[in-house]
Amino acid sequence: MSIEKFMALIVHKYGGTSMGSTERIQNVARRVAKWHRAGHRMVVVPSAMSGETNRLLGLAKEITETPDPRELDQIAATGEQVSVGLLALALQKQGVKARSYTGWQVPVRTNSAYTKARIESIDEKRVLGDLDAGYVVVITGFQGLDDQGSVTTLGRGGSDTSAVAIAAALKAEECLIYTDVDGVYTTDPRVEPEARRLAKITFEEMLEMASLGSKVLQIRSVEFAGKYRVRTRVLSSLTDPEVNLEQEAQSGTLITYEDDETMEQAVISGIAFNRDEAKITVAGVPDRPGIASKILGPVAAANIDVDMIIQNASHDGMTDFSFTVHRNELQKALAVLSDKVQPEIQARDISSDGQICKVSVVGIGMRSHVGVASQMFETLAAEGINIQMISTSEIKISVVIADKYMELAVRSLHKAFGLADESHAA
Ligand code: ASP
Ligand code: MG
């Protein structure tokens, strides 16, 4: 980041853990005050205090199991309102001029999809006016206003998206996401202790990592960052708030675009995994045109997302068909198959397996390197791990394997692709 650039406009986002107590909020204020004193124009987007959103949603559930989503948003949005007010007070105590706003005051305009609203526009005038007058502006994460004047929220973890969207609207130099991990790793360090923090990763890779199971950022925030080219950095909020600013500004993981000259060209950037899927096999169905839509049409009509799909080579005019769904939706999918699909297609057998996992290797280097898939398959074969399904995109290869081999698969792939090497990471 060009922190030497005097008066750069910077957005900071702080998660619930960083905002967890008035003491921690004062640490956030110290950190923000340091950036402000260095001459930067600061906008801060905090989440609710940790546990607060769950508490609020829990209150609603005490009244009804099926709450009106509009009222849920009205309730859930209050968590962030408390946070911004407390943070503004803490900044003032640091001798910094500060002003807080809720989403509807800015306003941050969204559609009316309560509990999962999408940001449509952000009015930057008020915020820019305050920045010009020397204020630090504190804006609630997670919420906005629809065109009927109702408060909306962006879905769990939505403050990440608020921060990136605000950074895009204000054309900020960089959006720094302060969180309880110190960056994005080659894989989850709890599975592979040799995992390394990446100094940089591209938006596309980050998007794959997020949708394949890495939980560092809300997926939508990465989409936003990619679309509007917002330099986004994930870094730790647990360091000393007074740590040297230059050092802090280079820490964590920078999410950026590919044509950034200094982007190192590792073939593989990371390994993601996900235990949330289950596999369904429809065996012994006639192999003729339309069979896939006869099976998957009713599943889609029931609003069940299908991830991987595989159809075997046919044998005597019959074939087997497998696909994966979210584990929570397995029972629902099986019910659709037995009620709506089976009477039509008369499959020999319908079975399911919840003991599977998906392991993926991700890297933009795959575009220009051949042999990544074969190296992945050889590595798994050498460990005696059977691959049940495969799917690929331009920058990722995913396999479905038995759940019990997940750790072994992640570790051996991490090693095979040299991800623990110094040269690969931060
Ligand atoms: N407070 C909201 C949540 O807990 C939004 C966020 O933290 O990003 O989901
Ligand atoms: Mg979060």
Side-chain angles (χ1 to χ4, degrees), residues 13 15-16 47 156-160 177 179 215-218:
K13 184 263 173 180
S47 295
R156 301 309 304 269
S159 296
D160 294 337
I177 312 251
T179 178
K215 294 191 174 65
V216 183
L217 289 175
Q218 200 199 33

Side-chain angles (χ1 to χ4, degrees), residues 234-416:
V234 176
L235 71 172
S236 174
S237 67
L238 305 173
T239 57
D240 177 356
E242 312 290 350
V243 67
N244 171 281
L245 193 147
E246 262 97 321
Q247 197 183 320
E248 183 174 312
Q250 301 297 327
S251 68
T253 300
L254 179 66
I255 307 169
T256 185
Y257 27 92
E258 197 180 346
D259 56 16
D260 188 324
E261 288 162 25
T262 55
M263 196 77 205
E264 56 183 81
Q265 289 299 328
V267 181
I268 297 301
S269 290
I271 296 171
F273 53 85
N274 165 348
R275 281 186 161 122
D276 297 337
E277 291 186 23
K279 183 176 82 164
I280 297 178
T281 301
V282 182
V285 290
D287 189 10
R288 54 171 185 253
I291 193 71
S293 85
K294 275 209 176 94
I295 295 173
L296 295 178
V299 174
N303 248 323
I304 299 168
D305 270 336
V306 169
D307 182 23
M308 278 201 222
I309 303 171
I310 186 169
Q311 185 181 338
N312 287 350
S314 72
H315 197 77
D316 297 332
M318 302 297 270
T319 186
D320 297 342
F321 195 91
S322 297
F323 59 97
T324 62
V325 296
H326 197 280
R327 235 179 251 192
N328 293 339
E329 299 195 305
L330 175 61
Q331 292 314 321
K332 195 171 150 195
L334 288 173
V336 169
L337 290 174
S338 62
D339 299 349
K340 305 233 162 73
V341 176
Q342 180 63 340
E344 279 270 315
I345 62 165
Q346 302 289 337
R348 187 180 76 245
D349 181 49
I350 298 177
S351 60
S352 67
D353 184 356
Q355 314 295 89
I356 57 155
C357 70
K358 183 167 76 173
V359 176
S360 312
V361 298
V362 175
I364 50 165
M366 261 183 235
R367 283 184 187 145
S368 46
H369 280 76
V370 291
V372 175
S374 59
Q375 190 176 354
M376 181 180 193
F377 304 153
E378 274 162 29
T379 305
L380 296 173
E383 298 292 345
I385 301 172
N386 184 41
I387 299 170
Q388 304 178 18
M389 299 172 101
I390 301 167
S391 83
T392 64
S393 78
E394 215 190 351
I395 63 162
K396 74 119 204 277
I397 303 166
S398 298
V399 296
V400 165
I401 58 173
D403 206 355
K404 63 181 176 194
Y405 294 129
M406 194 202 81
E407 265 104 359
L408 178 61
V410 170
R411 282 195 217 117
S412 50
L413 290 169
H414 197 268
K415 190 156 190 211

Side-chain angles (χ1 to χ4, degrees), residues 25-327:
I25 290 173
Q26 295 188 74
N27 275 337
V28 168
R30 276 187 205 106
R31 195 181 297 277
V32 173
K34 173 182 74 184
W35 282 75
H36 181 74
R37 279 196 306 270
H40 299 303
R41 292 148 66 83
M42 298 302 300
V43 175
V44 189
V45 181
S47 295
M49 297 172 78
S50 57
E52 182 62 8
T53 309
N54 287 341
R55 188 186 73 86
L56 293 165
L57 296 174
L59 290 174
K61 277 232 155 133
E62 283 176 22
I63 294 182
T64 166
E65 274 299 315
T66 51
D68 172 4
R70 180 190 180 278
E71 302 311 324
L72 263 189
D73 280 359
Q74 183 84 310
I75 297 160
T78 62
E80 272 73 9
Q81 182 168 343
V82 173
S83 285
V84 291
L86 290 173
L87 182 53
L89 287 183
L91 283 161
Q92 290 167 0
K93 191 171 161 189
Q94 292 296 316
V96 171
K97 290 206 299 181
R99 227 174 227 175
S100 73
Y101 295 105
T102 61
W104 62 266
Q105 289 172 316
V106 172
V108 175
R109 299 243 174 232
T110 71
N111 65 11
S112 299
Y114 301 114
T115 76
K116 47 177 186 299
R118 282 184 178 262
I119 295 179
E120 285 175 346
S121 66
I122 296 176
D123 188 340
E124 71 282 7
K125 282 192 277 314
R126 199 165 181 176
V127 179
L128 290 175
D130 281 348
L131 290 172
D132 286 345
Y135 284 92
V136 170
V137 182
V138 187
I139 305 174
T140 51
F142 183 52
Q143 55 178 265
L145 181 75
D146 72 3
D147 59 9
Q148 296 156 59
S150 300
V151 170
T152 56
T153 71
L154 309 180
R156 301 309 304 269
S159 296
D160 294 337
T161 304
S162 303
V164 174
I166 288 168
L170 298 173
K171 303 194 173 54
E173 195 74 34
E174 196 167 300
C175 180
L176 292 90
I177 312 251
Y178 288 87
T179 178
D180 46 11
V181 294
D182 66 356
V184 178
Y185 278 69
T186 49
T187 195
D188 188 334
R190 285 168 300 188
V191 170
E192 171 50 276
E194 302 222 339
R196 283 179 168 271
R197 180 170 56 82
L198 294 158
K200 291 188 181 188
I201 186 168
T202 65
F203 295 119
E204 292 155 289
E205 290 169 314
M206 192 61 210
L207 198 55
E208 290 281 11
M209 295 287 275
S211 44
L212 293 167
S214 152
K215 294 191 174 65
V216 183
L217 289 175
Q218 200 199 33
I219 294 175
R220 217 176 272 171
S221 71
V222 186
E223 285 168 7
F224 236 100
K227 186 163 168 200
Y228 296 99
R229 299 206 148 202
V230 181
R231 277 168 68 95
T232 303
R233 184 180 296 274
V234 176
L235 71 172
S236 174
S237 67
L238 305 173
T239 57
D240 177 356
E242 312 290 350
V243 67
N244 171 281
L245 193 147
E246 262 97 321
Q247 197 183 320
E248 183 174 312
Q250 301 297 327
S251 68
T253 300
L254 179 66
I255 307 169
T256 185
Y257 27 92
E258 197 180 346
D259 56 16
D260 188 324
E261 288 162 25
T262 55
M263 196 77 205
E264 56 183 81
Q265 289 299 328
V267 181
I268 297 301
S269 290
I271 296 171
F273 53 85
N274 165 348
R275 281 186 161 122
D276 297 337
E277 291 186 23
K279 183 176 82 164
I280 297 178
T281 301
V282 182
V285 290
D287 189 10
R288 54 171 185 253
I291 193 71
S293 85
K294 275 209 176 94
I295 295 173
L296 295 178
V299 174
N303 248 323
I304 299 168
D305 270 336
V306 169
D307 182 23
M308 278 201 222
I309 303 171
I310 186 169
Q311 185 181 338
N312 287 350
S314 72
H315 197 77
D316 297 332
M318 302 297 270
T319 186
D320 297 342
F321 195 91
S322 297
F323 59 97
T324 62
V325 296
H326 197 280
R327 235 179 251 192

